[in-house]
Amino acid sequence: SLSLSGCQDLVKMAAPTTAWPLSMEVHATAGPARAGTLTLPHGVVNTPVFMPVGTQGSLKGVLPQQLEQLGCRLMLGNTYHLGLRPGPELLIEAGGLHGFQGWPHCLLTDSGGFQMVSLLALAEITEQGVNFRSAHDGRQMLLTPEKSMEVQNAIGADIMMQLDDVVHSLTTGPRVREAMERSIRWLDRCIAGHMRPGQQNLFAIIQGGLDLDLRTECIDAMVSRGLPGYAIGGLSGGEDKGRFWRVVKHCCQHLPREKPRYLMGVGYALDMVVCVALGVDMFDCVFPTRTARFGTALVPTGQLTLRQVQFANDLRPLDPDCPCPTCKQYTRAYLHAIVSRESVACQLLSIHNVAYQLRLMGQTRQSILEGRFPAFVRDFVFALHPRGDVPVWAVEALASVGIDLPFAVPPASAPAPLAPGPDGNS
């Protein structure tokens, strides 16, 4: 296998001479938090941004036109699934994923590496790549860095992710270093295999588990490749949240100030707002649509489990301040009546939940631009935790960047959480 120094020679030969088609402008800051814009081949994206996940070229329960009307300008697709079905040949014939799904705005594609964790029973990882057994039809598929680039070039996304060696966030020992070093070697193979550097951006993915020294080592190596953006990978897998936020903050402190920082797989509201405070610009998660399929709506005070009988006669919208079509036209009582019976309920809740995530990041951005981000964070957290039972990790993370939560109660004296009320309060 190639050594790290050998890979550095490879990437010097393979590095694209064309300027990357991405520019980032930071308009305002609040400590590490940034409000900016990304200019990409298919348009301008405001940051911080939440990216809805359309794994197979479709967001479950939401049409591309509906997503556009909600203000989404950057969505995510998955290389592993799209590489299997419909496949790169048809995507090229259709004019890429933009043409195939009728989406005129920006796209980001995951490399397929995450399936090493999520489909581990179907995968074998070697230096060459990842040998998958298709979850669709049982066929074998070897996903190498070069193949990932080939499929992503066919997809035509504005931002492509390198194929990385992903280990579960709770993994310890020599496997973490092995995965980090292999991710660097695979990054160099991705750069060499990327055929459209003038039309599509390539982001590196920082690995290293919960070990800050390994994260630093990975950052130093990957930043030297001069890519247009960097992702923080390998988190949001059940690790201790106290270690999670420290890894996020450490990476943001060491990554280039002038380039976007993408925290992969994170999409809970509190996690996103705290991580914006730590310096993150981009997020993605299936959570809004997945939780909608279980009959749950996201609101500023938490979550509404609409199957509960308390909503049977509630004629209020999910959120009176939400401008989404669901909140404009339907009541909690109506959604309660259909949530367990009609598939349209999933669509209505998915539209609302995605709108909530997009709007939350828009409000966060506006607060940074207007110089009131700390006050916004306090109001946001208090709405979620009016009894002061704020998770310790969030209190500590925000305190580390100078945002105090005076209403937060120390865990030993915090009152026991109540069952969610009709407004989602705990």
Side-chain angles (χ1 to χ4, degrees):
S1 63
L2 284 171
S3 66
L4 287 181
S5 60
C7 279
Q8 289 170 348
D9 293 336
L10 172 64
V11 75
K12 286 175 184 175
M13 294 185 290
T17 55
T18 306
W20 295 105
L22 178 153
S23 63
M24 180 174 186
E25 183 177 359
V26 176
H27 304 292
T29 61
R34 299 119 63 91
T37 50
L38 293 179
T39 301
L40 296 166
H42 286 85
V44 175
V45 177
N46 291 333
T47 63
V49 61
F50 173 77
M51 298 176 287
V53 178
T55 301
Q56 300 185 54
S58 172
L59 195 67
K60 286 183 172 63
V62 183
L63 293 171
Q65 294 85 352
Q66 292 173 316
L67 195 57
E68 181 179 28
Q69 290 165 6
L70 294 178
C72 177
R73 294 298 178 264
L74 176 59
M75 69 178 294
L76 185 144
N78 182 270
T79 299
Y80 166 75
H81 292 287
L82 292 166
L84 288 172
R85 188 176 62 186
E89 294 81 9
L90 184 58
L91 285 169
I92 290 173
E93 187 177 343
L97 187 57
H98 288 94
F100 189 68
Q101 72 178 53
W103 177 250
H105 304 292
C106 302
L107 287 169
L108 180 149
T109 41
D110 189 2
S111 65
F114 177 71
Q115 276 63 44
M116 295 182 202
V117 174
S118 65
L119 299 176
L120 189 58
L122 304 178
E124 177 190 11
I125 304 164
T126 68
E127 186 65 28
Q128 185 180 7
V130 191
N131 198 12
F132 287 104
R133 180 163 51 85
S134 169
H136 300 296
D137 57 14
R139 286 184 299 133
Q140 289 295 121
M141 173 186 177
L142 178 62
L143 184 63
T144 63
E146 293 79 11
K147 183 65 175 179
S148 178
M149 291 297 98
E150 177 190 336
V151 176
Q152 291 190 76
N153 282 153
I155 292 170
D158 300 70
I159 298 173
M160 313 189 313
M161 304 306 299
Q162 74 154 107
L163 183 67
D164 54 336
D165 186 354
V166 184
V167 296
H168 195 280
S169 60
L170 300 180
T171 302
T172 58
R175 177 72 182 100
V176 180
R177 172 171 283 280
E178 176 190 50
M180 182 273 287
E181 293 181 344
R182 181 174 288 144
S183 294
I184 298 170
R185 295 192 295 271
W186 283 3
L187 173 61
D188 291 338
R189 289 168 59 187
C190 286
I191 293 171
H194 181 14
M195 294 294 102
R196 305 180 72 234
Q199 294 80 43
Q200 294 177 265
N201 296 286
L202 175 62
F203 279 22
I205 304 176
I206 307 301
Q207 293 292 347
L210 302 177
D211 186 319
L212 299 185
D213 291 335
L214 289 183
R215 291 278 177 172
T216 302
E217 190 175 333
C218 189
I219 290 169
D220 290 345
M222 289 184 169
V223 168
S224 72
R225 272 63 175 171
L227 296 173
Y230 299 89
I232 303 167
L235 295 175
S236 195
E239 69 276 0
D240 174 75
K241 295 300 281 283
R243 301 188 72 182
F244 160 83
W245 77 258
R246 287 176 172 85
V247 170
V248 173
K249 181 179 181 181
H250 178 84
C251 291
C252 289
Q253 287 175 327
H254 288 78
L255 286 168
R257 292 178 178 272
E258 71 280 6
K259 296 184 179 181
R261 306 163 186 157
Y262 165 26
L263 181 55
M264 304 183 77
V266 170
Y268 293 150
L270 180 62
D271 294 12
M272 289 196 297
V273 170
V274 170
C275 290
V276 168
L278 299 177
V280 174
D281 304 301
M282 303 167 64
F283 303 89
D284 81 281
C285 194
V286 298
F287 173 66
T289 48
R290 178 173 290 170
T291 198
R293 295 196 293 276
F294 289 95
T296 300
L298 306 177
V299 294
T301 51
Q303 300 181 13
L304 305 180
T305 305
L306 290 161
R307 287 189 173 92
Q308 294 177 350
V309 68
Q310 68 200 48
F311 297 111
N313 299 310
D314 192 338
L315 296 178
R316 293 175 295 171
L318 294 173
D319 177 358
D321 296 322
C322 178
C324 82
T326 303
C327 288
K328 283 184 174 179
Q329 298 178 45
Y330 302 102
T331 66
R332 298 176 181 188
Y334 173 74
L335 294 167
H336 167 82
I338 67 170
V339 74
S340 300
R341 300 174 181 86
E342 304 291 342
S343 59
V344 71
C346 169
Q347 181 182 23
L348 293 173
L349 289 176
S350 293
I351 289 170
H352 167 77
N353 285 354
V354 170
Y356 170 80
Q357 301 282 94
L358 296 173
R359 190 161 158 256
L360 175 61
M361 287 296 95
Q363 292 168 335
T364 305
R365 181 179 189 272
Q366 195 63 30
S367 76
I368 298 170
L369 291 172
E370 294 175 0
R372 52 179 181 83
F373 178 64
F376 169 82
V377 172
R378 292 186 191 99
D379 291 344
F380 164 79
V381 177
F382 184 76
L384 283 175
H385 299 281
R387 292 165 59 85
D389 54 334
V390 185
V392 173
W393 75 268
V395 175
E396 293 176 345
L398 291 170
S400 78
V401 291
I403 301 176
D404 65 308
L405 302 176
F407 53 85
V409 179
S413 57
L418 299 173
D423 294 310
N425 275 318
S426 59

